Amino acid sequence: MAQSGSQRVLVIDDEPDIRELLNLTLSRMGLDVTTVEDLTEARRALASSAFSFCLTDMRLPDGNGLDLVEEISEKYPDLPTAVITAHGKVEDAVNALKIGAFDFVSKPVDLAILRQLVNTALRLRSAESDERESTQDDGGEPEQPAALDRLIGKSPAINQCKTMIAKLSRSQAPVLISGDSGSGKELAARLIHELGPRGDGPFVPVNCGAIPSELMESEFFGHRKGSFTGASTDKDGLFKAADGGTLMLDEVADLPLHMQVKLLRVIQEKAVMPIGAREEVKVDVRILSATHQALKPLVESGKFRSDLYFRLNVIELHMPSLQERREDIPLLAGHFLDDIAEQWHEDGPPEISEEAMAALKQHEYSGNVRELINILQRAVTMCEGSAIQPEDLMLEHVGTPEAPAPAPPTAEVLESADDVSLDSYMEDIEKQMLEDALKKARYNKTRAAEILGISFRSFRYKLKKFGID
């Protein structure tokens, strides 16, 4: 993909042969290339001309290329800069990304990877220029991308996340997204992908804990026909599926040690070796990782490789729990009730009474946003009037001074039910909930399962268990 000749590129390297090779490669892409051999000349060139991309070696006669990366980050924040690192020097690459480098390439420079990197950086530069011009035409201040509105909330914690996501989308640095289950880690990863220069490419999320250990290598890297029993055709792995885009490794802490070694190599070499293949296959993939577990204790106990940890955790984005942003609960509840009404083809969502909203704000959410959605689905099912009441939420310890939570059945009540056992008593309640959900869903079993927050398979099993048609 050739770029317009108006795009200017600065290359800094002290080896004449490499400068000539890079000049020739980039010029053939239709770029206007300036080459210099040290930091002094680079600073002079940056001061006198405007560039769209900068590529610098790490080791230079008058200093370290990382010093230049830092200067560019401060003085020319819109200029994407990549570094050339020595083969296998993971620490150099990590340090470069941490201080603001867009990406890196290793020596000997793979020209195909370099061309991909440059095209990605120039797409980012072009998109940001268009955004600035649009803002100037409107006469306003730059605003956050509209896509960030999908991360609902206005609390300081969530606003900080939005700012961080917008910044991370400009880089190719690996990001480790931490946070409790249900806090929105995959949504954050999708936003980083969509807002960046890879937004038109694939976004491939994979749950590392859901793939059997013996199948991981084939799933991640692919295989060739006949490479093992059952390999009847060639198969591209997840890395190849994400080529040109982003691969999200969810629950990365669940990766077994043998896969951690192979993953580290893929990240360093930007290539995969399918099972049964004789040659590596180049891949252009940005890695985003997510985990609800703290990785550092796993590193200290030897369950997670320290070199992979530092490679994945170049930048950490923490997604706050619902407890950390309770002020967002009314906004979230309103949004999800609208979604539920639309999905279930209701005329409109019920309102939430003040008492019910107070109960939602006080609840301890072990499942975070995902749990809030399930509670609201249940409340819409149980609500008889136009407004959701505390009892419709079916939360533990829900109650108000005016309407205390109902007491559990007493021994006398249980005894009067023909010596009913606790098991049969709970089964009666469960059966009633199944029947209520079916009525609410107009006997659509798939929708009834969604109302109860269980899988269709589990719902079907329970119907059979209780003899409900």
Side-chain angles (χ1 to χ4, degrees), residues 190-324:
R190 285 185 182 275
L191 290 171
I192 292 171
H193 165 76
E194 291 174 13
L195 294 174
R198 296 175 177 269
D200 292 335
F203 176 83
V204 180
V206 52
N207 188 326
C208 297
I211 304 176
S213 178
E214 64 274 13
L215 298 180
M216 274 192 172
E217 191 170 350
S218 172
E219 288 295 314
F220 276 102
F221 310 137
H223 62 249
R224 295 290 175 258
K225 179 180 178 180
S227 57
F228 56 86
T229 302
S232 55
T233 60
D234 286 354
K235 175 184 176 180
D236 288 335
L238 293 165
F239 270 90
K240 192 61 181 173
D243 196 22
T246 302
L247 180 65
M248 180 196 174
L249 303 174
D250 198 6
E251 299 305 345
V252 71
D254 292 335
L255 280 174
L257 284 169
H258 78 276
M259 276 303 298
Q260 293 178 29
V261 176
K262 294 179 183 294
L263 178 60
L264 180 64
R265 175 174 172 76
V266 172
I267 294 173
Q268 290 177 185
E269 303 299 326
K270 300 189 176 182
V272 296
M273 178 71 84
I275 298 174
R278 295 184 178 180
E279 294 182 352
E280 289 186 326
V281 178
K282 295 293 182 183
V283 288
D284 172 31
V285 173
R286 184 182 188 183
I287 302 289
L288 302 177
S289 308
T291 177
H292 75 279
Q293 300 183 59
L295 287 185
K296 203 154 190 179
L298 296 179
V299 172
E300 292 168 353
S301 65
K303 295 178 181 177
F304 201 89
R305 291 181 63 95
S306 61
D307 45 8
L308 180 59
Y309 169 73
F310 289 115
R311 192 65 184 83
L312 295 177
N313 191 25
V314 173
I315 303 171
E316 182 172 351
L317 170 65
H318 176 70
M319 295 303 294
S321 67
L322 211 47
Q323 267 79 264
E324 295 174 77

Side-chain angles (χ1 to χ4, degrees), residues 69 73 81-83 93 96-104 171-173:
V69 174
S73 295
T81 304
V83 297
L97 293 168
K98 279 188 173 179
I99 63 174
F102 174 78
D103 208 341
F104 73 96
S171 168
Q172 295 302 290

Side-chain angles (χ1 to χ4, degrees), residues 361-413:
K361 287 181 178 179
Q362 294 166 10
H363 182 62
E364 295 295 323
Y365 294 90
S366 59
N368 293 291
V369 174
R370 191 179 296 130
E371 182 182 354
L372 175 61
I373 295 171
N374 287 341
I375 290 170
L376 292 172
Q377 289 175 333
R378 189 167 62 218
V380 171
T381 303
M382 304 307 294
C383 177
E384 295 292 340
S386 60
I388 292 172
Q389 301 300 328
E391 56 270 21
D392 298 326
L393 302 173
M394 299 181 70
L395 302 177
E396 293 182 9
H397 312 304
V398 167
T400 63
E402 295 79 12
T410 63
E412 290 78 8
V413 171

